[in-house]
């Protein structure tokens, strides 16, 4: 076996516990799972799954929500009642 190096990084404890459980169900260690991930990234020169940004957390939307919150705090927001709309699915 080739020389090995130690890789350390931080992870949420609950996420780690969940991943360990899933890896165990698949007969893997977390080390094996991360090694498989690193191997695939190295071979394909890409993240091997789709990654999307949630538009809710976009900079533009966060500024909009902050301005609404500011208006509410400053008493500038005006709320009106409306009838509920029923939607058939």
């Amino acid at each position: 076996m080739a020389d090995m190096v130690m890789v350390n990084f931080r992870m949420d404890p609950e996420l780690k516990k969940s991943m360990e459980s899933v890896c165990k169900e698949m007969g893997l260690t977390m080390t094996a799972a991360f090694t498989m991930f690193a191997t695939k990234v190295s071979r394909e020169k890409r993240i091997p799954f789709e990654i999307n940004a949630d538009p809710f957390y976009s900079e533009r939307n966060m500024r909009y929500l902050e301005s609404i919150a500011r208006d509410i705090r400053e008493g500038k927001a005006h709320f009106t009642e409306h009838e509920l709309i029923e939607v058939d699915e």
Side-chain angles (χ1 to χ4, degrees):
M1 180 181 282
D3 290 337
M4 302 296 259
V5 296
M6 180 73 71
V7 177
N8 296 304
F9 55 91
R10 297 185 187 278
M11 179 184 292
D12 176 83
E14 290 301 314
L15 177 60
K16 179 181 181 281
K17 184 177 175 182
S18 176
M19 183 172 175
E20 284 173 327
S21 176
V22 172
C23 286
K24 185 176 181 178
E25 288 177 27
M26 293 187 289
L28 297 170
T29 63
M30 282 183 54
T31 297
F34 282 118
T35 299
M36 291 166 62
F37 173 77
T39 300
K40 193 155 178 76
V41 168
S42 295
R43 285 183 183 157
E44 297 180 7
K45 307 286 191 255
R46 67 180 190 90
I47 302 296
F49 47 82
E50 188 174 333
I51 300 174
N52 294 310
D54 185 342
F56 179 84
Y57 295 102
S58 70
E59 185 176 332
R60 179 179 172 209
N61 195 50
M62 296 310 291
R63 281 194 312 267
Y64 173 73
L65 293 173
E66 288 167 1
S67 72
I68 290 173
R70 184 177 53 252
D71 288 349
I72 291 170
R73 283 192 305 273
E74 295 174 359
K76 296 177 182 177
H78 302 285
F79 301 99
T80 58
E81 288 186 37
H82 60 83
E83 295 294 320
L84 292 176
I85 300 171
E86 298 282 335
V87 177
D88 294 327
E89 290 190 34

